[in-house]
Amino acid sequence: MKKNLNRARSQSWDAVAHWYAGWTGTNGSRYHRTLAVPLLLELLAPKRGEHIADLGCGPGILAPPIAERGAGFVGVDLSARLIADARRNHGRVGRFLVGDVTRLPRHADLPEAGFDAACFLLSIQDINPLDEAMASAARLLKPGGRLAIVMLHPCFRVPRQSGWGWDEGRGLKFRRLDSYLTPLAVPMQSHEAGTTRSYHRPLGAYAEALAAAGLALTGIKEVSDLPAQGESKADRRAAGEFPLFLGLRAVKLE
């Protein structure tokens, strides 16, 4: 399975770009605005005058909050259609390039060791191979530069291999996992004219990839799901106990 995963390279989201841009909206979905982007900004801690690279930037929803903090922004994504949306909606506050994050193009806006920080905002699980993506991030960073990653929690949110269950006797909602250690390339639900893939890896794979790229893990933060109106006590407890997102922070070694 791992060998098959390594052969499954990142694919463009052009076929689902219209659906995805519509789902996120100009400024991100509810989950982006209330959970994922605040977590990313907390880990990244952008400062005025810094240069930030967003790898797998999609429609560019991170550009405005980065610009509000006075930092320069460059986003890269394999989907030309999503980049077109990003340029149309956020071109005044960031630069956007079409490119494969695992094989970054040579470009004046992507200088080696030219960035103070880089990030993957809910994109790393759509990018493969992982080692090449981490190596790209490391090449962009200055020594001491920061990398922030926000992803669906790989220990609890495994595509098609995890879900909720109900223990009637104990009155408890629980999280069931049918697979975890095996790396997977999972076709996701079809939207419009295409199907995307999600790449599951165990948590240790991310630590190993960071280390191989010369990046030292310096922080971890887990964030629980949003409460839904009308949920039961058991639902609220389960949502609070099993995190939805995982955030990782790393620095490039001197």
Side-chain angles (χ1 to χ4, degrees):
M1 180 66 71
K2 188 171 183 179
K3 183 178 180 182
N4 292 338
L5 179 65
N6 287 339
R7 289 202 300 265
R9 298 199 68 91
S10 301
Q11 62 185 120
S12 171
W13 278 36
D14 270 355
V16 298
H18 180 71
W19 162 80
Y20 184 70
W23 177 75
T24 61
T26 303
N27 298 310
S29 70
R30 174 170 173 253
Y31 281 96
H32 285 95
R33 297 191 306 272
T34 58
L35 293 179
V37 170
L39 174 58
L40 190 284
L41 293 173
E42 178 183 345
L43 295 168
L44 197 64
K47 301 175 181 64
R48 182 168 297 277
E50 289 190 328
H51 296 283
I52 311 292
D54 182 2
L55 305 178
C57 67
I61 64 168
L62 190 60
I66 293 294
E68 287 172 6
R69 287 156 176 77
F73 179 95
V74 176
V76 184
D77 199 278
L78 191 56
S79 170
R81 291 180 179 177
L82 288 177
I83 289 296
D85 282 335
R87 288 170 176 164
R88 181 169 54 253
N89 294 319
H90 306 299
R92 289 179 294 178
V93 294
R95 298 276 294 171
F96 298 95
L97 308 173
V98 177
D100 185 343
V101 168
T102 67
R103 302 171 175 176
L104 283 175
R106 292 186 178 275
H107 195 282
D109 287 331
L110 294 173
E112 186 172 336
F115 290 86
D116 302 283
C119 62
F120 296 92
L121 173 61
L122 299 182
S123 62
I124 195 64
Q125 286 167 304
D126 303 318
I127 296 171
N128 200 61
L130 178 62
D131 287 347
E132 293 179 22
M134 294 299 187
S136 292
R139 283 196 297 273
L140 292 179
L141 290 173
K142 300 174 181 178
R146 312 180 304 282
L147 175 67
I149 304 170
V150 171
M151 70 181 91
L152 284 172
H153 204 303
C155 298
F156 303 103
R157 313 282 172 161
V158 184
R160 300 190 183 180
Q161 300 295 318
S162 63
W164 293 110
W166 176 253
D167 187 327
E168 186 69 35
R170 301 177 65 195
L172 289 177
K173 189 175 183 179
F174 62 87
R175 193 76 184 162
R176 170 178 171 167
L177 273 76
D178 297 323
S179 177
Y180 170 69
L181 285 176
T182 301
L184 301 170
V186 183
M188 302 303 287
Q189 180 179 348
S190 179
H191 294 282
E192 298 177 342
T195 301
T196 60
R197 281 194 299 262
S198 180
Y199 303 98
H200 165 74
R201 305 115 175 163
L203 182 56
Y206 290 95
E208 291 173 2
L210 288 168
L215 298 160
L217 184 64
T218 60
I220 296 176
K221 185 166 185 179
E222 297 162 302
V223 175
S224 60
D225 201 351
L226 294 168
Q229 189 174 7
E231 282 191 331
S232 68
K233 182 179 179 181
D235 288 329
R236 293 194 300 272
R237 181 182 183 277
E241 287 295 329
F242 296 97
L244 175 62
F245 293 132
L246 171 68
L248 303 177
R249 182 176 60 242
V251 297
K252 182 176 179 177
L253 299 175
E254 299 286 344

